[in-house]
Amino acid sequence: MSTGTTTEAPKMISTLQAVNQALDEAMANDERVIVFGEDVADPQGGGVFKTSKGLSTKYGDHRVRSTPIAEQAIVGAAVGAALAGMRPVAEIMLMNFITVAMDQLVNHAAKLRFMSGGQSSVPLTIRTIAGAGRGNGGQHSDMLEAWLAHVPGLKVVTASNPADAKGLLLSCIEDDNPCIFIEHIMGFQQKGVAPPPGHRVPLGKAAIAREGHDITVVSYGKAVNDVLAVAAALDPAISVEVIDLRTIAPFDEQAILESVGKTGRCLIVHEAIKAFGVGAEIAARVQEKLWGRLKAPVGRVGSKYAAVPFAPPLEKAFLYSQLEIQGAIQRLMAA
């Protein structure tokens, strides 16, 4: 007999929708928020990936503006607007193209607070798309977060799911420091439970994506989902704790040390090239702070030291894999 009550399924959104909602909410809440970049306005399609679709129609082209193909000008204009009291969100279509604007980012956005003795803030957000897997070739697929994390004054952020994408992007836009928000090209269609209005994820705070007691795996962005898949396949033979950094710089050192202090083993996984990567810095910190408590050397999994190939078989060989993650976990457990 029916009780007359029903349980509604939670509303689901994609990462693409989450980014669009975050921009919409930020613009509605604060008229200082402006959006610009290549093709971001509706007459040009609302962005190459449609993340800004509908915003120029809703808020006007004085707040959502398509720009020429000129990354130096885009980031330079964002720095100037931020100094003038605006909260610009500038889109650099693909992460490789940030290299064109490194002077504006490194020598201006990141340094102005320091060089002004704290009198100037640069509250800008750079949204950029990164990652391999679609055969876009070496000039359109790099993960360059380690470059940016090396620069004092920049915050570097990425999400592994739609709710975090919305919450982190809103936190970036509201932060008084320059933030780089990285979106993975293969993750736009990923679905997840829609967060409530006003949802924020604090910057610099990691999440325990999965609790465990045998080994800690630290990851961020799309790679978190690969780690979770491997951890589920290994369970219950090996209890894997998964830390989702969410903020790459500054990363949540306390959360990592507490977890590794409990498990005694640590593996870092990221899509970016393994050599000289974010994983190297985390590994160094763990071994400096927890030497003597580790049951095995800190491990790392990343992609090969090469330009991202265009041919699909070579691109697949370049990328890290779930099989590599599994093998690394098993080796550390056996050490």
Side-chain angles (χ1 to χ4, degrees):
M1 180 178 177
S2 173
T3 62
T5 61
T6 59
T7 302
E8 292 186 6
K11 183 180 179 182
M12 306 293 284
I13 61 170
S14 68
T15 299
L16 189 154
Q17 291 172 313
V19 170
N20 184 272
Q21 288 181 14
L23 294 172
D24 190 1
E25 187 172 312
M27 296 189 77
N29 290 341
D30 190 341
E31 64 180 11
R32 296 174 300 170
V33 177
I34 56 176
V35 174
F36 53 89
E38 297 164 19
D39 300 328
V40 298
D42 288 333
Q44 290 75 43
V48 172
F49 299 97
K50 312 303 180 187
T51 48
S52 54
K53 187 175 182 180
L55 297 181
S56 70
T57 300
K58 184 173 184 179
Y59 296 103
D61 59 11
H62 65 294
R63 293 186 65 191
V64 182
R65 181 170 297 185
S66 292
T67 68
I69 302 173
E71 287 77 17
Q72 287 180 321
I74 293 169
V75 178
V79 174
L83 287 171
M86 307 300 284
R87 290 190 173 270
V89 182
E91 179 180 303
I92 299 298
M93 187 185 300
L94 294 168
M95 197 173 199
N96 289 76
F97 304 156
I98 276 183
T99 60
V100 180
M102 286 295 273
D103 179 48
Q104 285 74 17
L105 274 177
V106 175
N107 288 322
H108 298 273
K111 289 187 171 69
L112 281 167
R113 179 184 289 275
F114 302 109
M115 296 179 72
S116 68
Q119 297 180 79
S120 299
S121 61
V122 190
L124 66 83
T125 299
I126 305 292
R127 290 182 45 249
T128 192
I129 293 86
R134 286 185 56 176
N136 288 336
Q139 294 179 328
H140 298 78
S141 308
D142 283 341
M143 299 285 289
L144 302 176
E145 62 273 12
W147 287 22
L148 301 167
H150 191 70
V151 180
L154 294 181
K155 295 186 177 182
V156 184
V157 180
T158 192
S160 66
N161 59 76
D164 278 1
K166 181 177 180 181
L168 288 167
L169 181 52
L170 280 166
S171 292
C172 285
I173 296 170
E174 294 168 359
D175 198 271
D176 287 334
N177 299 282
C179 297
I180 313 296
F181 185 78
I182 305 167
E183 300 156 18
H184 199 287
I185 196 167
M186 299 295 286
F188 277 133
Q189 301 309 316
Q190 177 189 356
K191 292 294 184 78
V193 176
H199 177 66
R200 302 290 189 279
V201 175
L203 303 183
K205 184 68 175 176
I208 300 176
R210 188 180 195 274
E211 294 188 350
H213 56 260
D214 289 330
I215 183 171
T216 300
V217 182
V218 181
S219 189
Y220 54 85
K222 175 183 174 293
V224 171
N225 299 295
D226 292 313
V227 171
L228 289 170
V230 171
L234 287 170
D235 188 55
I238 301 172
S239 178
V240 180
E241 182 145 294
V242 180
I243 303 292
D244 182 351
L245 281 185
R246 304 195 291 196
T247 302
I248 298 167
F251 68 81
D252 191 345
E253 181 180 285
Q254 181 180 351
I256 295 171
L257 295 179
E258 287 179 357
S259 178
V260 180
K262 174 181 68 174
T263 65
R265 296 179 176 88
C266 180
L267 175 70
I268 305 109
V269 179
H270 53 62
E271 178 177 313
I273 291 168
K274 177 180 173 181
F276 307 100
V278 172
E281 175 63 26
I282 296 173
R285 298 270 191 105
V286 170
Q287 295 191 145
E288 288 170 358
K289 302 290 179 67
L290 296 178
W291 181 251
R293 297 173 62 185
L294 296 173
K295 301 173 184 177
V298 178
R300 292 182 293 149
V301 170
S303 295
K304 310 303 184 296
Y305 191 61
V308 182
F310 170 75
L314 294 178
E315 184 181 44
K316 182 177 180 180
F318 161 84
L319 283 167
Y320 76 101
S321 67
Q322 291 188 16
L323 190 61
E324 287 180 73
I325 298 170
Q326 178 181 322
I329 290 173
Q330 291 171 333
R331 285 193 298 274
L332 292 177
M333 290 302 301

